[in-house]
């Protein structure tokens, strides 16, 4: 209990440090004093603009995206009882990106600010519902991950089709940006569209947390000790769908955060899925805030996209976890 | 006193009859052993009696009330269930796994109320897991794991306990220890219903033997009366020599 408190506390401190550093560093380096002034709305007005309109919204977007993905990953892993489950691997992100891209393709994104978040969430919910349906019929996690691969490929194929038919280069580049995943140029307004969905999703996941511990025993014994399986599945699917969809509306597809953070957190919380949720969210947020700072200060020719970096680091980690999991399987 | 009774249970799945007209009133404060060949419908009957499987027709009554009227947690506080397959998805510590037995009381493994903690300690002690309680479950042997699951079931302190093959993966010494645990449990007023494959052990410990085959109960009663070579032949299709209520020799 106290150990969890220290873990969460340390992660909160890291997150705050990350947000502050994100305001400090960038193309124009601000001093600690001018960041403080900017935050409080004092001193030179341009500092307030840099902090409030450029750097802080971007950093918060990274934090929120990482948190949503970290918690969704942890919850899906608990529900499916497999450390490889994650929105990206299971095709949830791909489906969500596909729906978001459709909205951009038909020009609806500029008509109403809510169109994109709603489409992204609808896509995520469709994919999680498909997976959940399959999960309860097969019970085999391998089948489930293969279905996820199938959903990813199908969404990918559809994406290619849409890119193929892109009406003009601007729409094309807009859509490509979604597939890459980035938090650059996010405003506080973008945040207000996605944040409510993400928070709602995370709240549902937190409500479901005790049931995730019960599922450690397998579905049959979990039902035996008094878990309402239908309610549990519904909560996790809807929660993960809302949180992932919201994060994708905000930042596009950023893979593997949902797999690495719970994996890193688990040993610190006695491998209890319910206690993994909150620290995974915090760690996911911290990870993306620092990754985004790194991207901004790296002197690259074109700015690196956050989703690209996450995939470059995440995919090998995924393979490593899969190999480890094979050896240490407790089934 | 908690009474659990199955009444005229039928269950068909994809046109195959799994249970047909099964009635089983569990004797309160007694140990009932279900025996029968593979595929006799024993596990399905247990799951139905726990309220986890809905029968096609017939009903399960818990204290004269249909079991599906109870909430999941209410039911779990009255009936403990140990399924046959016992996966553990994560390498949680032994104590946390046992503490999941208190789930129906709203307990969380990381902070147990004094009452929950006491039930968990008792179950850990009874199942001889005290020395192992802080070990990760993935470092245990099959027999040790089996006792962890049993302790989890006991920790719920339910007045009825239903266990599907609790002796699988146990060596003779631990088989007897586990059966003694069931005996102590019923001596304290608990009602237990257990599927066993070892007929000698079943005959030694059960108050009531229930002989099942092809989804039907062929006979039930105390071992002294029902352990006969005729039942061994009709239910298990083996020739058995029985004397003094003990199984002496088996042949095909």
């Amino acid at each position: 209990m106290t150990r969890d408190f220290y873990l969460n506390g340390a992660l909160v401190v890291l997150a705050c440090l990350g947000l502050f550093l994100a305001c400090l560093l960038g193309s124009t380096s601000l001093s600690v004093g001018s960041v403080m002034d900017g935050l409080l709305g004092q001193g030179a007005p341009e500092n307030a603009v840099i902090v409030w309109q450029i750097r802080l919204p971007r950093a918060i977007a990274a934090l929120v995206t990482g948190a949503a993905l970290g918690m969704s990953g942890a919850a899906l892993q608990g529900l499916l009882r497999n450390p490889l489950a994650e929105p990206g691997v299971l095709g949830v992100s791909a489906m969500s990106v596909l729906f978001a891209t459709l909205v951009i393709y038909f020009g609806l994104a500029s008509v109403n600010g809510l169109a994109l978040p709603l489409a992204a969430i609808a896509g995520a919910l469709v994919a999680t519902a498909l997976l959940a349906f399959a999960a309860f019929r097969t019970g085999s996690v391998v089948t489930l991950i293969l279905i996820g691969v199938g959903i990813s490929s199908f969404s990918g194929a559809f994406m290619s089709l849409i890119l193929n038919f892109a009406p003009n280069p601007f729409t094309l580049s807009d859509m490509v940006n979604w597939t890459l995943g980035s938090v650059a140029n996010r405003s506080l307004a973008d945040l207000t569209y996605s944040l409510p969905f993400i928070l709602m999703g995370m709240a549902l996941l937190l409500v479901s947390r005790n049931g995730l511990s019960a599922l450690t025993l397998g579905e049959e014994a979990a039902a035996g000790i008094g878990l309402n399986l239908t309610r549990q599945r519904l909560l996790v699917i809807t929660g993960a769908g809302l949180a992932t969809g919201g994060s994708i509306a905000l930042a596009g597809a950023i893979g593997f955060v949902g797999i690495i953070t719970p994996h890193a957190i688990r040993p610190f919380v006695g491998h209890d899925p319910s206690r993994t949720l909150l620290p995974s969210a915090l760690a996911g947020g911290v990870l993306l805030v620092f990754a985004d700072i790194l991207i901004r200060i790296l002197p690259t020719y074109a700015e690196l996209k956050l989703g690209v970096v996450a995939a470059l680091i995440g995919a090998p980690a995924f393979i490593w976890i899969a190999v480890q999991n094979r050896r240490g399987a407790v089934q | 006193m908690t009474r659990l009774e199955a009444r005229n249970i039928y269950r068909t799945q994809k046109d195959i009859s799994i249970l047909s007209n099964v009635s089983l009133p569990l004797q309160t404060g007694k140990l009932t052993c279900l025996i029968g060949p593979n595929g006799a419908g024993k596990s399905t009957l247990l799951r139905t009696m726990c309220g986890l499987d809905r029968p096609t027709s017939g009903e399960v009554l818990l204290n004269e009330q249909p079991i599906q009227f109870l909430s999941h947690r209410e039911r779990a506080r009255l009936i403990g269930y140990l399924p046959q397959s016992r996966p553990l998805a994560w390498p949680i510590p032994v104590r946390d796994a046992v503490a999941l037995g208190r789930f129906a009381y709203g307990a969380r493994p990381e902070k147990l109320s004094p009452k929950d903690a006491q039930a968990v300690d008792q179950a850990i002690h009874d199942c001889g897991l005290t020395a192992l309680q802080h070990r990760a479950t993935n470092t245990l042997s099959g027999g040790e794991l089996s006792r962890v699951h049993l302790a989890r079931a006991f920790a719920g302190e339910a007045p009825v306990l239903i266990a599907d093959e609790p002796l699988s993966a146990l060596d003779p010494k631990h088989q007897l220890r586990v059966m003694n645990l069931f005996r102590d449990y019923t001596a304290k007023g608990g009602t237990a219903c257990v599927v066993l494959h070892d007929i000698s052990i079943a005959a030694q410990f059960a108050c009531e033997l229930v002989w099942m085959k092809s989804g039907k109960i062929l006979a039930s009663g105390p071992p002294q009366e029902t352990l006969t070579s005729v039942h061994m032949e009709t239910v298990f299709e083996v020739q058995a020599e029985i004397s003094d209520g003990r199984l002496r020799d088996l042949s095909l």
Side-chain angles (χ1 to χ4, degrees):
Chain A
M1 157 70 193
T2 46
R3 218 176 136 191
D4 288 14
F5 180 78
Y6 287 127
L7 175 65
N8 287 323
L11 288 168
V12 168
V13 169
L14 270 178
C16 294
L17 185 71
L19 289 180
F20 193 77
L21 270 179
C23 293
L24 212 60
L25 301 169
S27 48
T28 352
S29 274
L30 296 181
S31 67
V32 175
S34 37
V35 168
M36 290 307 289
D37 283 349
L39 279 171
L40 299 169
Q42 296 163 342
E46 63 267 24
N47 288 347
V49 170
I50 292 177
V51 170
W52 278 106
Q53 290 180 22
I54 302 170
R55 290 186 185 170
L56 197 57
R58 177 174 179 158
I60 292 175
L63 182 75
V64 167
T65 304
L69 293 172
M71 192 182 281
S72 299
L76 287 171
Q77 289 166 22
L79 181 73
L80 303 174
R81 302 183 299 287
N82 189 294
L84 296 178
E86 188 249 1
V89 174
L90 293 173
V92 178
S93 305
M95 188 68 109
S96 176
V97 169
L98 173 65
F99 275 48
T101 320
L102 275 171
V103 166
I104 300 173
Y105 178 82
F106 289 112
L108 297 171
S110 45
V111 177
N112 190 323
L114 269 175
L116 191 74
L118 286 178
I121 287 158
L125 286 175
V126 165
T128 36
L130 266 174
L131 285 164
F133 181 71
F136 313 142
R137 286 183 67 97
T138 69
S140 148
V141 179
V142 177
T143 313
L144 209 66
I145 288 177
L146 289 177
I147 292 172
V149 172
I151 295 178
S152 275
S153 318
F154 177 76
S155 311
F158 236 91
M159 275 292 301
S160 312
L161 185 70
I162 298 170
L163 295 178
N164 195 165
F165 285 137
N168 55 60
F170 303 108
T171 321
L172 185 66
S173 85
D174 262 0
M175 294 191 296
V176 169
N177 275 336
W178 277 106
T179 57
L180 296 182
S182 163
V183 286
N185 308 322
R186 293 301 181 273
S187 66
L188 286 175
D190 291 322
L191 272 169
T192 53
Y193 286 126
S194 306
L195 200 56
F197 297 108
I198 293 176
L199 291 179
M200 224 186 317
M202 288 172 71
L204 288 181
L205 294 180
L206 284 174
V207 167
S208 80
R209 64 201 293 259
N210 287 355
L212 295 177
S213 302
L215 277 171
T216 305
L217 300 171
E219 291 192 343
E220 198 179 4
I225 58 174
L227 177 69
N228 183 341
L229 282 179
T230 319
R231 177 176 172 271
Q232 178 69 25
R233 288 163 182 162
L234 211 61
L235 278 175
V236 175
I237 289 161
T238 320
L242 283 171
T244 308
S247 83
I248 283 170
L250 188 60
I254 293 174
F256 301 105
V257 178
I259 211 163
I260 298 170
T261 42
H263 188 79
I265 291 297
R266 227 174 261 123
F268 294 100
V269 294
H271 294 266
D272 179 350
S274 80
R275 289 150 70 196
T276 313
L277 290 191
L278 193 58
S280 291
L282 292 168
V286 167
L287 186 70
L288 283 195
V289 169
F290 280 96
D292 194 51
I293 293 174
L294 194 69
I295 286 166
R296 281 170 43 211
I297 58 176
L298 276 181
T300 43
Y301 161 67
E303 188 180 283
L304 275 167
K305 299 282 185 193
L306 190 52
V308 176
V309 176
L312 281 174
I313 302 166
F318 172 83
I319 295 169
W320 185 70
I321 294 170
V323 171
Q324 272 213 323
N325 185 47
R326 240 192 101 68
R327 277 191 284 138
V330 227
Q331 299 293 337
Chain B
M1 276 292 145
T2 308
R3 281 187 49 78
L4 183 63
E5 176 178 2
R7 229 180 247 175
N8 308 112
I9 302 287
Y10 285 84
R11 186 174 162 88
T12 44
Q13 225 167 7
K14 292 174 186 156
D15 292 333
I16 298 167
S17 166
I18 297 173
L19 293 173
S20 70
N21 199 17
V22 171
S23 293
L24 180 62
L26 287 188
Q27 296 198 17
T28 307
K30 297 278 169 63
L31 174 63
T32 303
C33 284
L34 295 188
I35 53 177
N38 301 120
K42 306 181 296 289
S43 296
T44 310
L45 178 59
L46 289 192
R47 288 179 49 85
T48 309
M49 293 192 76
C50 290
L52 299 178
D53 270 358
R54 288 290 290 274
T56 314
S57 75
E59 56 186 355
V60 175
L61 300 174
L62 187 62
N63 294 329
E64 316 300 328
Q65 205 186 40
I67 195 166
Q68 66 270 21
F69 287 7
L70 281 97
S71 76
H72 290 76
R73 288 195 175 191
E74 281 169 344
R75 187 211 65 223
R77 284 196 285 257
L78 293 173
I79 308 175
Y81 174 53
L82 182 65
Q84 192 177 346
S85 77
R86 296 156 209 155
L88 268 176
W90 312 105
I92 56 176
V94 168
R95 195 183 158 77
D96 284 6
V98 177
L100 284 173
R102 303 297 292 176
F103 180 78
Y105 294 90
R108 301 215 323 244
E110 78 271 24
K111 47 176 179 186
L112 296 172
S113 73
K115 195 177 178 313
D116 290 328
Q118 200 205 332
V120 170
D121 287 335
Q122 186 67 47
I124 285 176
H125 173 263
D126 288 347
C127 295
L129 294 167
T130 312
L132 302 176
Q133 62 175 320
H134 298 298
R135 284 260 297 272
T137 39
N138 62 343
T139 63
L140 302 183
S141 71
E144 289 165 340
L145 263 182
S146 199
R147 284 184 285 143
V148 170
H149 288 285
L150 194 70
R152 192 273 297 156
F154 276 123
E157 295 180 328
V160 180
L161 191 56
I162 286 179
D164 202 344
E165 297 189 25
L167 302 186
S168 59
L170 290 180
D171 54 42
K173 175 184 148 201
H174 284 104
Q175 289 192 351
L176 293 175
R177 278 191 62 176
V178 167
M179 289 317 291
N180 281 332
L181 286 174
F182 278 106
R183 183 183 265 169
D184 295 345
Y185 171 76
T186 52
K188 285 185 218 147
T191 303
C193 182
V194 177
V195 166
L196 290 182
H197 273 300
D198 189 323
I199 295 151
S200 306
I201 288 188
Q204 188 184 339
F205 285 88
C207 292
E208 177 104 343
L209 281 185
V210 175
W211 300 74
M212 285 190 78
K213 191 183 186 184
S214 313
K216 295 190 184 79
I217 292 180
L218 297 189
S220 64
Q224 305 87 291
E225 291 168 24
T226 56
L227 179 60
T228 61
S229 46
V230 178
H231 284 147
M232 288 300 289
E233 163 103 54
T234 49
V235 172
F236 288 103
E237 297 169 20
V238 292
Q239 308 294 326
E241 239 177 74
I242 289 156
S243 61
D244 306 332
R246 279 175 187 272
L247 214 52
R248 295 295 178 201
D249 190 34
L250 283 177
S251 56
L252 273 174

